[in-house]
Amino acid sequence: MRTNDSAIASSPIAVSTPAADGHAAPADPAPVLAPEAPGVRGTPATRGVLFAALGVAAFSLTFPGTAWALEGMGPWTVVMLRSVLATALAGGALLVFRVRVPERRHWAGIAVVAGGVVLGFPLLTTLALETSTTSHAAVVVGLLPLTTAACSALRTGARPSRTFWIASLIGAAVVIAFAVQQSGGAPGRGDLFLFLALLVCAAGYTEGGRLARHMPGWQVIGWALVLTLPLTAAGAAVALSTEPLRLTAHAVAGLLWLAIGSQFVGILVWYRGMAAIGIARASQLQLAQPLLTLVWSVLLLGERLPPAAPAAALAVLACIAVTQRARG
């Protein structure tokens, strides 16, 4: 069996595992490494970048998928049903492969993933999209890479290089300028939801990337989904009884993508990438996410592409290149 980057990468990553009080945590037992993904070759770092990029591509369709789902469902119905459907997929995989229940010391981190990635981010962004366009929301959430890198540094003690931080700050400044220009300099209620979503998602990504060193990424998100099932199942029942439901082709396609593509498959490959190249470096690939979402918003939703988008795209892609070359 070959070592790969799904559970624990052979290359170092930009996180460590000190306890919350600053003392060294007990040594972890040697993990069982999952087999290499078919057709994915190259060094662990190259595979890590590829997996992280696939995750970003999947996430870039989240807002258009949400907009489609909202055409036929209420916001609470969308959030709860996507989680229930993703749990059915993840829980089935956990049962089929007879995955053991995680050790007690990992459950706190799984709870953070559940609160940030499974519940918090989907709910807050869905509420935001009731008043914001997908293109505007995508640009605001472009701050997620810097938020994740900062959260990672605070949580794990990682210390990326000065060049890394300079490039990250420039990328964030481009995103902020773009968002302010699009909103007319007056952030609204939707922006508040989006900024809160940044915080909870960054915490979830940080814990997920850390846990992906101890178990495959699909198990991290799988157990997080299972943990929230009692809440999401009850929430889905209440939402379906109180919110209007119209099962159009767009609504069904959007919901299925959110459940399968964004909530499960996207996070699976994203955590694999973070385990290989580190939370901070992987998070910078997400600088391309708002620009991809802008393209989808034009192609799938018919929104007008903002005139400043091409210039922002070049600036952001340049920042990605610098952060990927910078060594923490």
Side-chain angles (χ1 to χ4, degrees):
M1 183 178 293
R2 294 179 59 187
T3 301
N4 66 42
D5 55 333
S6 64
I8 294 190
S10 57
S11 60
I13 67 175
V15 295
S16 57
T17 55
D21 58 2
H23 297 293
D28 296 308
V32 177
L33 300 176
E36 182 175 299
V40 180
R41 299 179 179 179
T43 65
T46 300
R47 293 196 302 271
V49 171
L50 174 60
F51 282 125
L54 289 174
V56 169
F59 297 153
S60 71
L61 281 162
T62 298
F63 286 171
T66 301
W68 272 11
L70 287 172
E71 290 180 11
M73 309 174 196
W76 291 91
T77 301
V78 171
V79 173
M80 297 303 167
L81 279 184
R82 68 180 278 185
S83 293
V84 170
L85 292 175
T87 303
L89 178 62
L94 292 171
L95 287 174
V96 168
F97 292 103
R98 299 180 180 180
V99 178
R100 290 187 300 176
V101 175
E103 299 176 31
R104 182 180 300 179
R105 63 196 177 95
H106 293 320
W107 278 106
I110 291 174
V112 173
V113 174
V117 176
V118 176
L119 293 176
F121 186 80
L123 176 60
L124 291 167
T125 53
T126 299
L127 292 174
L129 285 173
E130 287 194 298
T131 57
S132 298
T133 65
T134 58
S135 56
H136 179 81
V139 174
V140 174
V141 174
L143 291 175
L144 185 57
L146 182 60
T147 310
T148 302
C151 185
S152 170
L154 291 173
R155 174 66 177 88
T156 68
R159 293 293 180 267
S161 69
R162 181 179 300 178
T163 301
F164 177 94
W165 284 114
I166 291 174
S168 299
L169 288 170
I170 293 174
V174 171
V175 170
I176 292 173
F178 189 86
V180 170
Q181 187 267 335
Q182 289 300 302
S183 64
R189 176 170 168 267
D191 290 317
L192 175 60
F193 284 134
L194 292 170
F195 286 125
L196 290 175
L198 289 176
L199 297 177
V200 298
C201 191
Y205 279 172
T206 297
E207 287 302 308
R210 185 182 66 82
L211 287 169
R213 300 178 67 219
H214 307 288
M215 64 184 79
W218 73 271
Q219 293 181 21
V220 175
I221 187 59
W223 288 115
L225 286 163
V226 169
L227 182 63
T228 62
L229 181 60
L231 179 60
T232 56
V238 172
L240 285 170
S241 65
T242 57
E243 292 183 332
L245 180 65
R246 188 165 55 94
L247 296 180
T248 65
H250 273 185
V252 172
L255 180 65
L256 289 177
W257 175 260
L258 293 174
I260 300 172
S262 298
Q263 192 81 68
F264 185 68
V265 177
I267 293 178
L268 183 158
V269 294
W270 175 243
Y271 283 166
R272 285 175 69 111
M274 285 197 293
I277 63 176
I279 297 171
R281 286 189 64 196
S283 70
Q284 299 313 301
L285 287 172
Q286 281 195 302
L287 284 169
Q289 184 175 322
L291 302 164
L292 290 173
T293 301
L294 288 176
V295 174
W296 296 127
S297 69
V298 172
L299 296 178
L300 300 178
L301 303 175
E303 295 183 4
R304 276 188 78 180
L305 187 66
L314 291 175
V316 168
L317 290 175
C319 291
I320 291 175
V322 174
T323 57
Q324 290 304 299
R325 294 178 65 88
R327 298 183 62 182

